[in-house]
Amino acid sequence: MATQQAATEQESLGSLLRHPAIWRARDRHTRPACGHSSGHAVLDQQLPEQGWPRAGLVEILLDRHGIGELQLLMPLLARLSQQDERWITWVAPPYIPYAPALASQQVQLEKLLWVRTRNERETLWATHQSLSSGNCSVVLGWTGKNILAGESRRLQVSASDSDTLSILFRPRTTSNQASSAVLRLILHAAADGVRVETLKSRGSWPARPVHVPLHDAPGFQPERAGPAPTILPDPRNRKTGTQADLFRAPRPTLHVPSLPTTHPPTPMAGASSPGSAPRSRAFL
């Protein structure tokens, strides 16, 4: 009788330990590949789910924009734009997205939604609303604010509940702040790519820093380890683009009070032509 009871308890314990929310240190290298492949083999080997999480909050911390953080995400964005019917939402990017450059990376423009905000508070609000809607596969947000623990927790819960990946770009100086993110990465500029340092990784020990080479698309020239971004003339007069083609120079923002639920918003593919305004050499 005692033997049968012990066997039953052991079977129950084994079933509990197989739950995906429970992790044991010895399982780090034996966990199944259940995440979104990053498109970079060396990075997938370091991430706990062998790729980006399928849902939850991810924070990417960096000293300045344009060191390759978006090129790191391009394989993911291109794949989701082709395979997922939901939006890929950009909340308060530091520069105006430029559709032709995104299209050159195989990103489907009709799936992109760009949300402009007036301040940090609206940025967090719009990010939360995008996640809560359940209509986004990925929500990208940019903020320099010291996010409170409660705000971080709300973003994490909303992302998990809606099966949405939320990627928040924050200054590296916020690395010592508490966060509910399932994954926190610090990016360092490198001559031919980026060095990725894992600050926090739920379900795994933080991995050692890894160098991720980033091969540029035709016509794109990296400026990851160079000086701060500068403003260039309108590149439409040139035959080839640069990394600047992904974003245009900042303009006064337009307040978006909410995300429509009955009528679909205007996608990035329907945006007006770039005009003659200068653009910033940044990103990708």
Side-chain angles (χ1 to χ4, degrees):
M1 188 66 174
T3 303
Q4 183 178 1
Q5 182 179 359
T8 302
E9 292 177 352
Q10 185 175 4
E11 182 179 353
S12 299
L13 179 61
S15 176
L16 178 64
L17 292 176
R18 286 192 294 271
H19 192 281
I22 296 179
W23 169 78
R24 292 182 289 179
R26 69 184 186 185
D27 295 336
R28 183 184 187 280
H29 297 288
T30 60
R31 297 183 64 182
C34 55
H36 290 296
S37 173
S38 67
H40 310 280
V42 65
L43 180 60
D44 286 345
Q45 294 175 2
Q46 298 299 316
L47 297 176
E49 299 179 9
Q50 299 184 34
W52 299 110
R54 291 191 172 272
L57 176 62
V58 173
E59 289 187 3
I60 296 181
L61 313 181
L62 59 165
D63 291 322
R64 65 178 177 87
H65 303 299
I67 64 173
E69 66 274 20
L70 283 183
Q71 191 174 349
L72 194 69
L73 298 175
M74 278 300 120
L76 171 69
L77 300 184
R79 185 167 60 254
L80 289 181
S81 71
Q82 298 167 16
Q83 300 176 359
D84 199 311
E85 294 300 322
R86 297 179 294 172
W87 296 99
I88 294 177
T89 302
W90 301 47
V91 181
Y95 298 95
I96 300 175
Y98 186 52
L102 290 167
S104 74
Q105 300 292 298
Q106 310 304 315
V107 176
Q108 303 300 307
L109 301 180
E110 63 272 14
K111 299 291 183 62
L112 304 187
L113 175 63
W114 169 31
V115 180
R116 291 180 284 183
T117 61
R118 294 179 298 190
N119 52 50
E120 298 280 0
R121 181 179 179 181
E122 288 187 358
T123 296
L124 291 176
W125 180 87
T127 301
H128 182 267
Q129 294 298 312
S130 300
L131 294 172
S132 300
S133 71
N135 294 320
C136 304
S137 59
V138 181
V139 177
L140 307 176
W142 284 261
T143 178
K145 181 182 178 181
N146 295 331
I147 300 177
L148 300 177
E151 294 172 329
S152 176
R153 177 62 180 168
R154 281 191 290 272
L155 292 177
Q156 163 58 21
V157 171
S158 296
S160 297
D161 290 347
S162 61
D163 191 31
T164 302
L165 175 59
S166 175
I167 300 179
L168 201 61
F169 296 94
R170 303 181 64 194
R172 185 181 171 187
T173 54
T174 62
S175 61
N176 60 345
Q177 297 177 6
S179 172
S180 296
V182 298
L183 180 66
R184 301 187 81 193
L185 303 177
I186 300 178
L187 297 192
H188 305 270
D192 58 347
V194 292
R195 185 166 63 91
V196 181
E197 177 184 351
T198 304
L199 184 63
K200 175 186 177 182
S201 178
R202 189 179 71 178
S204 175
W205 298 111
R208 61 177 177 81
V210 60
H211 179 270
V212 181
L214 297 177
H215 304 289
D216 299 292
F220 287 85
Q221 301 173 4
E223 197 176 48
R224 283 179 277 276
T230 56
I231 300 298
L232 296 180
D234 184 4
R236 291 183 303 164
N237 298 325
R238 297 172 298 173
K239 295 182 179 180
T240 60
T242 67
Q243 302 253 4
D245 289 342
L246 186 55
F247 282 79
R248 295 179 59 203
R251 286 181 178 176
T253 55
L254 174 66
H255 176 46
V256 180
S258 63
L259 294 178
T261 56
T262 56
H263 302 286
T266 302
M268 195 177 298
S272 58
S273 60
S276 59
R279 286 177 281 181
S280 172
R281 177 184 289 265
F283 300 142
L284 269 193

